[in-house]
Amino acid sequence: MNPVYQPVSFNGEKEDVQTSYRPVRQTSSNLSSHNAPAAPAPAQRRRSRVFLHWLSHILSLLWIAPIATLLWLNYSHYIVGASSWCPGGNCNAEANGDNAIERATKLDRNDHNVNGALQFVAKALEVWFMFVATSLVYDMGIMFAKRGRGLPVGYLLTHLEFGDIRYILSPLLWTSPLPHRDGVPEKRARIIKLYIFACITAILTILANLMGPATAVLVLPTLQWVDTPRVMFRTFNGTGAMHAPSGDDVFPDCSAAQLDAANYSCTRDIYGPSLDAWAAQSIASTRQAMSHEGDGSIVLGSSQEAALQFTINATANLDVTWIPSRQVLREMSHDFLKARGWYADWDKPEYPDRVFNNSLRTILQRQGPSLGIQANCYTGKVSNIKLNNGRWIRCYTGWTSLNNDTHYTKCLRRGLGADSDTYSQFFLENVDPDVKQLQTGVGTYFADRATYFNDTEDFGSGIKTCLAGGDGKNCDWDKIFAAPLPDELTNTTVNVGIVSYQVPGDDRTDDRVWCEHVVYQSFPTYSVDTSPRSNGQNLVTLNNLPKVEKEAVPLAMNPNWYLAAWSVDYNSTLDGERQVVKELSRVLPLTYEQGIITLSGAEFLFLHFYALGQSLSMVNYYTYPAPQKPAATTTEEDKAHPVFQSYATIHVWAYGLSGRTSILGVAVVALGVACVLARFAIGMATGIQERSTVEVLAAAFEHRHQGEFEGLDAETHLAKVRYQVVEDGEGKQRFIPEKRTSRWSHAMSI
């Protein structure tokens, strides 16, 4: 027979004010008036609650599994492929194929479908976490309600309200821990504990509302550029710039014997047309820029090496112009052709086939050396002063400061006593029948030291006195080239190169258009986009170019590389049928007469710079095998001998933690995992079994207050009244006001 509850008075009070109950057995007369079905036995209800209790914890712990998977995908930067739907990691984008557009459309459609489905997955994880968070708030509330003086009324349904973000602004959340009547004693520790509960609830409110976006950030892959693992393949061991070209592997068609004999015309078949093409491009672009239809922009010309093309790369502040190395481009060309699908054989482990096939775009990257120049051109005259002991001073007039338009004469030291002094020359065949001079001489010089002077200042070097004598007897060689110079002059006084063009014409043996340059070395990253649609010209670019510091020492550059760039033997004459010879012979006298800042001067500058760039691109370098592992620390020796790396940057759908939103998402789900573990720990420690809202309401309806709400009208005051939540003998919840807690324990025992 099921028990019912009848009022029981503890001290003879009337039944209509009693609030405590004890079970009594129903009589047969009572049962005859009820047709309700029999309730489950207490043992059966208890087993059911235990089962649901464990099922709830298992479901909570299972939430960690998909979250751990998402964290692994993002921490490992897992690459999905060319589409966000790429089962088995195989979704060939065919980016270089004939059906690339059709294939891209299909992959894009798959992306929309899959990303939409993953939004539902993120929402499911959010709802799943709400189940966990609700149970955690309930367990904490009941844990407080079973101890001490109970839980404030304002917190009894917190587990149903905390999901609304507005709840953290509710006054009930922050005032309920306080005593509900003035003068009622309350331990500060108890109030602090209730405020801790309120703070945890507020945190869970924020966490629950952030969980949806957090899981969406982690569950959705993004289209991003990803670097493949970097492979260390060679270590830099020096450049051949300071020596004349030599060896069998510097130029494709030149033998070591030809180079040792300075017969650089062996490069003509391959590199002669390259320089002529550069000359034609420079003239065409200059004319376009200067025409009334042009916008004043000059397009830089390009040159080809193997399957790739390159042009000069100027840094943002135009302090140095960098030239790619043809040796690097030859090594990179095979990788490029494989990425385009032109090679069937492939033996490079760093670039497996699937890297290219499963990406929307592929950019090959390779580190290597590059030479850069600072160069300027002037018009003036040349003179030579011979000193004793085989020493010479060679001077050029017309050097002009870019800062204050001050004119100087620049002098180089040559001959014995110079640390490095090299010289080479060739001639341009005369193509103008009106000029009696048969040839135009082009001389290239390198000097380790240079100095400046003008009519009013020689900076204490004494060079004016030296030159005034004309015989070199009053020249102090060491003093002249050791005297300190202003900052604007020192940049081009160490390891300086000069290219001197003799102006054609009668009685013009000393007239020159001359250009100075200094050479620097860096180790940028060579990049080439393998897509024929976005990079139809196979153009290589240089990235991570450095800014040359003021203290940087220029590189020594042998002038014979300039001969190789022109494809001409030492002291020989270049054929007048060459395009570059025709153009240079045309603009050279005009430049001398009209100046550098003219149309002819601009055309001359490009012709000279492209020839100089051709020479720098040809310079070879040396390497040795790279170490298996990079050094733990970088020394000055390591900087001088960097380890070159090669890798590919692919455009794919992938997971990762590259953005701040991803980091925030990880933090939110990590707190979610902590909530799951906290709820499991509380459940194991207390054995709290969650009750339904109907059971809570039934217990509230069965309770009749004993005056604990008298005189309390405001909602914030009512919410402060505390009740202890206990279970009767049959496992049902009962609410006991804080002042009756001890009597209830006594009633349950009788």
Side-chain angles (χ1 to χ4, degrees):
M1 184 179 299
N2 294 331
V4 295
Y5 292 90
Q6 296 180 353
V8 176
S9 175
F10 291 109
N11 50 11
E13 298 173 352
K14 294 183 179 180
E15 294 179 357
D16 60 350
V17 297
Q18 292 174 339
T19 57
S20 299
Y21 299 82
R22 68 175 182 177
V24 297
R25 296 288 181 181
Q26 286 186 328
T27 62
S28 58
S29 61
N30 297 131
L31 290 173
S32 62
S33 61
H34 295 277
N35 296 320
Q44 182 180 354
R45 289 199 302 269
R46 189 173 295 108
R47 286 193 298 270
S48 177
R49 290 196 186 97
V50 170
F51 171 77
L52 294 176
H53 171 75
W54 282 105
L55 179 62
S56 172
H57 281 290
I58 292 173
L59 290 175
S60 297
L61 292 173
L62 287 177
W63 183 81
I64 297 178
I67 296 301
T69 302
L70 292 179
L71 292 176
W72 174 79
L73 290 173
N74 284 274
Y75 271 111
S76 63
H77 299 281
Y78 181 79
I79 297 175
V80 181
S83 171
S84 56
W85 173 247
C86 202
N90 185 17
C91 47
N92 195 333
E94 300 178 5
N96 301 325
D98 296 334
N99 299 321
I101 302 299
E102 180 181 352
R103 181 64 175 169
T105 301
K106 181 179 179 181
L107 293 177
D108 184 67
R109 186 166 53 250
N110 291 341
D111 296 339
H112 283 285
N113 293 334
V114 172
N115 290 343
L118 291 176
Q119 292 278 9
F120 286 99
V121 173
K123 185 62 179 180
L125 290 173
E126 178 190 8
V127 173
W128 195 347
F129 178 75
M130 282 300 299
F131 163 78
V132 176
T134 300
S135 299
L136 177 59
V137 174
Y138 178 86
D139 290 351
M140 289 192 302
I142 295 300
M143 183 175 65
F144 277 98
K146 285 188 173 183
R147 298 179 179 180
R149 300 178 64 182
L151 191 71
V153 171
Y155 290 163
L156 289 178
L157 298 180
T158 297
H159 64 290
L160 302 179
E161 299 176 303
F162 83 101
D164 188 344
I165 190 64
R166 295 173 297 178
Y167 184 66
I168 61 176
L169 302 177
S170 172
L172 302 184
L173 179 63
W174 307 108
T175 61
S176 294
L178 300 174
H180 64 282
R181 295 183 188 275
D182 295 337
V184 177
E186 182 67 60
K187 292 183 179 180
R188 179 177 298 179
R190 179 63 179 173
I191 296 177
I192 292 175
K193 290 179 181 179
L194 290 175
Y195 269 116
I196 292 175
F197 173 76
C199 291
I200 294 175
T201 301
I203 293 173
L204 287 173
T205 298
I206 297 173
L207 194 62
N209 283 273
L210 290 178
M211 190 57 66
T215 53
V217 167
L218 296 180
V219 80
L220 289 170
T222 56
L223 193 59
Q224 54 187 279
W225 290 99
V226 178
D227 291 344
T228 61
R230 303 193 177 204
V231 176
M232 298 182 295
F233 62 98
R234 302 294 291 179
T235 299
F236 182 74
N237 195 32
T239 177
M242 63 188 66
H243 306 291
S246 62
D248 292 320
D249 55 353
V250 179
F251 304 117
D253 290 345
C254 295
S255 65
Q258 289 174 306
L259 297 182
D260 291 342
N263 295 330
Y264 302 115
S265 58
C266 61
T267 67
R268 178 168 180 171
D269 288 345
I270 296 179
Y271 297 117
S274 295
L275 187 58
D276 289 341
W278 244 342
Q281 291 176 33
S282 66
I283 299 300
S285 181
T286 304
R287 297 291 176 84
Q288 286 285 340
M290 296 298 180
S291 70
H292 65 279
E293 297 179 354
D295 60 358
S297 177
I298 296 178
V299 178
L300 297 177
S302 61
S303 183
Q304 182 174 346
E305 183 65 33
L308 302 175
Q309 291 200 78
F310 70 94
T311 187
I312 59 177
N313 285 58
T315 51
N317 54 9
L318 300 179
D319 59 340
V320 176
T321 299
W322 296 97
I323 311 299
S325 165
R326 292 183 181 270
Q327 183 177 343
V328 175
L329 298 183
R330 287 193 293 269
E331 297 171 353
M332 202 173 185
S333 180
H334 187 76
D335 299 351
F336 174 80
L337 294 178
K338 171 57 183 177
R340 281 280 181 91
W342 294 352
Y343 281 173
D345 61 316
W346 191 244
D347 56 359
K348 288 185 177 293
E350 64 266 33
Y351 297 139
D353 283 333
R354 69 181 303 272
V355 168
F356 301 137
N357 295 336
N358 289 349
S359 62
L360 297 173
R361 284 177 64 187
T362 299
I363 296 179
L364 300 181
Q365 312 264 25
R366 177 183 287 260
Q367 292 176 315
S370 172
L371 298 182
I373 53 171
Q374 286 180 333
N376 287 292
C377 294
Y378 313 93
T379 60
K381 295 184 178 294
V382 64
S383 61
N384 290 281
I385 298 295
K386 183 178 181 181
L387 282 64
N388 55 358
N389 299 326
R391 297 177 177 180
W392 290 78
I393 296 178
R394 184 176 181 87
C395 298
Y396 294 89
T397 64
W399 194 95
T400 305
S401 170
L402 298 177
N403 296 332
N404 51 28
D405 201 32
T406 303
H407 298 281
Y408 292 93
T409 296
K410 182 167 189 170
C411 298
L412 316 177
R413 69 178 185 180
R414 300 188 55 222
L416 297 176
D419 293 338
S420 179
D421 169 40
T422 53
Y423 161 74
S424 63
Q425 69 174 358
F426 65 95
F427 300 92
L428 305 179
E429 185 178 9
N430 183 25
V431 296
D432 187 352
D434 296 332
V435 178
K436 296 180 181 181
Q437 181 178 324
L438 297 179
Q439 298 174 331
T440 297
V442 180
T444 57
Y445 303 84
F446 171 80
D448 64 329
R449 290 290 186 275
T451 190
Y452 295 85
F453 74 93
N454 60 18
D455 294 338
T456 60
E457 182 66 73
D458 67 0
F459 309 105
S461 65
I463 191 171
K464 292 179 63 177
T465 304
C466 167
L467 298 178
D471 55 6
K473 294 181 178 180
N474 297 320
C475 297
D476 187 338
W477 171 280
D478 295 326
K479 180 181 178 181
I480 289 174
F481 293 99
L485 299 173
D487 290 342
E488 66 170 330
L489 301 178
T490 55
N491 291 338
T492 55
T493 58
V494 177
N495 292 344
V496 60
I498 298 289
V499 180
S500 175
Y501 298 89
Q502 181 182 1
V503 179
D506 299 334
D507 301 325
R508 309 190 74 169
T509 56
D510 295 334
D511 295 346
R512 296 289 188 274
V513 177
W514 62 280
C515 303
E516 64 176 355
H517 62 265
V518 289
V519 180
Y520 297 95
Q521 181 173 261
S522 68
F523 302 97
T525 300
Y526 289 68
S527 302
V528 57
D529 186 349
T530 62
S531 172
R533 289 166 179 79
S534 56
N535 187 23
Q537 299 298 317
N538 304 349
L539 189 64
V540 174
T541 59
L542 300 182
N543 300 311
N544 303 321
L545 291 170
K547 176 177 174 58
V548 176
E549 301 296 335
K550 179 181 177 181
E551 298 77 12
V553 178
L555 201 66
M557 180 78 177
N558 191 289
N560 284 354
W561 288 103
Y562 200 67
L563 300 181
W566 283 82
S567 302
V568 61
D569 298 336
Y570 179 82
N571 214 29
S572 297
T573 301
L574 202 58
D575 187 357
E577 295 299 318
R578 291 274 303 272
Q579 181 70 26
V580 66
V581 176
K582 293 179 180 180
E583 298 295 347
L584 190 58
S585 298
R586 178 181 61 83
V587 302
L588 187 58
L590 295 175
T591 300
Y592 183 83
E593 294 169 2
Q594 300 173 5
I596 297 295
I597 312 301
T598 60
L599 173 60
S600 58
E603 292 176 336
F604 170 80
L605 286 176
F606 275 101
L607 291 172
H608 169 72
F609 284 161
Y610 282 134
L612 193 57
Q614 173 96 313
S615 66
L616 295 181
S617 71
M618 291 177 165
V619 174
N620 65 323
Y621 62 93
Y622 311 102
T623 62
Y624 59 86
Q628 296 298 318
K629 294 183 179 180
T633 58
T634 302
T635 63
E636 291 300 322
E637 179 70 15
D638 296 330
K639 293 179 180 179
H641 299 275
V643 178
F644 296 147
Q645 300 178 351
S646 66
Y647 58 99
T649 301
I650 54 178
H651 203 205
V652 291
W653 288 91
Y655 291 92
L657 301 176
S658 57
R660 296 178 181 178
T661 54
S662 300
I663 301 299
L664 178 60
V666 170
V668 170
V669 299
L671 291 175
V673 172
C675 291
V676 172
L677 299 177
R679 196 238 164 174
F680 181 75
I682 292 174
M684 294 301 99
T686 63
I688 295 174
Q689 299 173 5
E690 190 171 344
R691 303 304 181 93
S692 68
T693 305
V694 173
E695 291 180 289
V696 175
L697 290 176
F701 288 147
E702 288 182 342
H703 172 74
R704 296 175 65 184
H705 77 87
Q706 193 180 353
E708 56 268 25
F709 292 105
E710 292 179 0
L712 303 177
D713 297 326
E715 182 185 26
T716 54
H717 293 164
L718 295 172
K720 297 176 183 177
V721 177
R722 300 182 187 178
Y723 283 90
Q724 190 179 51
V725 179
V726 297
E727 294 181 359
D728 61 14
E730 297 183 355
K732 292 184 177 181
Q733 274 190 343
R734 298 296 173 215
F735 293 103
I736 308 301
E738 53 183 333
K739 66 180 180 179
R740 292 296 185 184
T741 300
S742 60
R743 292 185 178 181
W744 170 259
S745 302
H746 174 71
M748 290 296 294
S749 65
I750 61 176

